[in-house]
Amino acid sequence: MGVKVGVIGAGTMGAAIAALFANADYDVVLVDVSEEALKKAKERHEGEILRELKEVGLKKRDEITSKIKYTLDLEDVKDCSFVVEAVVEKLPAKIELLEKLEQLLGEDCIIATNTSSFTPSELAVKLKRPEKFTLFHFSNPPIVREIVEVGGETVGEDFLQKVVDVVKSIGKEPVVLRKDSRGHIFNRFLCSAVAAVGWDFGKFSPPQVDAAMKNLGSPAGFFELLDYIGMDVLLMVQDSLIEVHGGRFELPNGFRWLLERMVEWGKLGKKSGEGFYRWVDGKPEVPEAEPADILPVAAAAVNEALREIEEGIADKETINRAYCLAVGSPVGILDVAEMLGYATILDVLEKKYAETNAETFKPCETLKDMV
Ligand code: NAI
């Protein structure tokens, strides 16, 4: 293909993104500030990620490491024509890196961000060419899930078309957003569900919640997904949403305490070998369990999805598509809502709101109007 791609950050996401590009025959420069992270990424490229590529039918090469330059030197990306950053979810760190990248790269290079929460406009504040800056957000596990949310308010139409083509060239499906909102489409209702599940934590165990999720058609359980994401990243994303969208993303105290302790104890999830589950050979050990009643969690997620429609972030079809691709579910979140009935969703939310006074359960106006 002859096109050189830079990936900054070789952690959970960056290593997988680099692999997807290398597998699609791009030459890749993978940069991290940590030698250990680069070493771990290379190991994943030689084993687990190759296996995952094969499992999902994306594997095009017998090996990918010869297509990747692993480096600590950011300057090595300077002749790339597409660079995606996947570094820590902290606004100042990302703004500083993006400014540096723009100075280093040629004028025609497109710069992309895998941020889970920040908007392209917030990240582009120091960029001179914001029209060449785009959202490029994967879901976890990134090799398996098909979605890449792209766009945002900064990127120019011509460049957005190129970004869409890049997504397709690595075997993924683009979902285009034109309005900025922290959490984009999927993470807003995911984090709303995280806040909601915290209220029943203790009443139900993670395997019970996950069994119920699977009954709703999802191939992965809810706590399994949190383990994929990593508790450190999850807390950063949740806090970023609280900062801008307010209390409806607030976690109940007990659940926040637990997540913070898990970070302190190094139980980060898949990447550290243990989170809510133990992970062996890249797979979680999930015990059999009776499904829990997760209706309040589903209702909170639906409530947030309807808010997105209210705010003009995305329409119903786009929200359903984003959910299907991000979770690997055959049905969209608003299809689930229709099966349950919006009157039931409203009733569940009103009862849970009265019980907890937690804003995540406060029904939005659209839902009330619909019922
Ligand atoms: P991670 O903690 O696994 O990896 C981050 C990597 O970035 C680390 O190896 C770190 O050494 C490196 N790094 C930090 N600052 C750097 C810099 N200035 N230059 C080069 N490397 C640097 O984090 P993860 O999970 O890969 O997340 C990265 C980004 O992707 C975040 O913005 C996150 O919100 C986003 N994301 C995460 C998802 C997840 O499920 N974990 C899903 C989708 C997006």
Side-chain angles (χ1 to χ4, degrees):
M1 182 153 279
V3 178
K4 205 160 164 185
V5 169
V7 179
I8 321 296
T12 303
M13 300 305 292
I17 296 168
L20 284 163
F21 277 105
N23 178 60
D25 233 16
Y26 289 90
D27 291 312
V28 179
V29 180
L30 178 58
V31 187
D32 204 289
V33 287
S34 148
E35 208 152 338
E36 184 57 31
L38 290 170
K39 190 169 155 255
K40 222 170 150 186
K42 189 156 187 262
E43 280 164 18
R44 286 176 64 206
H45 291 159
E46 285 162 345
E48 174 197 316
I49 287 183
L50 269 189
R51 278 198 303 278
E52 279 184 349
L53 284 166
K54 190 166 179 211
E55 268 167 38
V56 295
L58 281 179
K59 187 165 175 253
K60 289 193 179 157
R61 300 174 53 88
D62 290 337
E63 57 76 42
I64 48 177
T65 52
S66 68
K67 297 291 287 178
I68 303 174
K69 176 171 184 175
Y70 301 83
T71 175
L72 294 166
D73 188 358
L74 190 65
E75 299 242 345
D76 285 341
V77 299
K78 68 175 184 299
D79 55 347
C80 290
S81 40
F82 190 90
V83 173
V84 53
E85 74 76 21
V87 303
V88 62
E89 187 72 354
K90 298 254 188 229
L91 192 55
K94 283 193 189 282
I95 290 175
E96 189 191 328
L97 171 68
L98 291 166
E99 190 184 17
K100 239 192 248 172
L101 278 173
E102 192 185 57
Q103 287 161 5
L104 201 63
L105 293 160
E107 291 217 345
D108 290 331
C109 180
I110 294 178
I111 304 179
T113 175
N114 184 43
T115 181
S116 298
S117 67
F118 302 117
T119 66
S121 317
E122 288 174 301
L123 292 169
V125 283
K126 296 211 172 153
L127 296 184
K128 295 197 172 61
R129 301 186 289 274
E131 71 281 5
K132 290 174 191 158
F133 178 59
T134 181
L135 181 67
F136 202 72
H137 178 247
F138 290 75
S139 281
N140 211 329
I143 303 291
V144 181
R145 300 290 168 246
E146 284 176 80
I147 191 169
V148 184
E149 288 168 288
V150 298
E153 289 175 17
T154 52
V155 64
E157 206 53 53
D158 297 357
F159 298 103
L160 180 56
Q161 193 45 54
K162 286 188 188 153
V163 175
V164 162
D165 293 341
V166 170
V167 173
K168 291 181 183 163
S169 75
I170 57 171
K172 298 285 165 182
E173 185 173 321
V175 171
V176 177
L177 278 99
R178 270 320 217 163
K179 195 165 172 190
D180 283 353
S181 167
R182 274 204 193 183
H184 329 309
I185 300 179
F186 179 70
N187 280 343
R188 278 186 52 170
F189 42 82
L190 170 69
C191 291
S192 180
V194 173
V197 88
W199 285 94
D200 284 331
F201 195 80
K203 204 149 92 190
F204 303 120
S205 66
Q208 285 182 289
V209 172
D210 287 6
M213 264 296 274
K214 288 178 187 168
N215 281 354
L216 281 179
S218 165
F222 191 77
F223 284 94
E224 192 180 326
L225 176 58
L226 301 192
D227 267 6
Y228 269 118
I229 294 170
M231 300 319 137
D232 49 347
V233 175
L234 177 68
L235 278 171
M236 284 187 242
V237 174
Q238 200 78 26
D239 286 342
S240 165
L241 297 197
I242 294 167
E243 189 178 71
V244 163
H245 298 300
R248 66 183 195 273
F249 290 99
E250 209 67 73
L251 301 172
N253 290 340
F255 194 53
R256 172 174 281 277
W257 181 90
L258 175 70
L259 294 179
E260 286 174 353
R261 293 300 75 70
M262 287 174 80
V263 173
E264 202 177 293
W265 298 330
K267 291 193 173 193
L268 299 178
K270 179 179 181 247
K271 65 183 162 190
S272 68
E274 189 174 355
F276 286 101
Y277 301 113
R278 258 170 39 85
W279 288 74
V280 180
D281 293 334
K283 305 260 184 236
E285 291 180 334
V286 184
E288 293 275 318
E290 277 296 304
D293 172 14
I294 58 163
L295 209 49
V297 178
V302 168
N303 200 29
E304 190 61 27
L306 293 176
R307 277 205 181 90
E308 291 181 21
I309 296 178
E310 222 168 70
E311 293 169 24
I313 306 300
D315 59 17
K316 184 181 156 194
E317 287 67 35
T318 311
I319 286 174
N320 273 335
R321 191 72 194 139
Y323 180 84
C324 290
L325 294 171
V327 174
S329 164
V331 285
I333 185 157
L334 296 173
D335 296 328
V336 173
E338 273 160 31
M339 284 187 278
L340 296 168
Y342 283 108
T344 306
I345 303 271
L346 180 61
D347 185 51
V348 168
L349 286 173
E350 280 173 340
K351 286 196 178 118
K352 205 72 187 169
Y353 184 49
E355 177 195 322
T356 60
N357 206 27
E359 268 185 59
T360 188
F361 299 116
K362 192 173 175 183
C364 69
E365 292 308 313
T366 303
L367 176 60
K368 287 195 258 178
D369 291 348
M370 283 166 88
V371 176

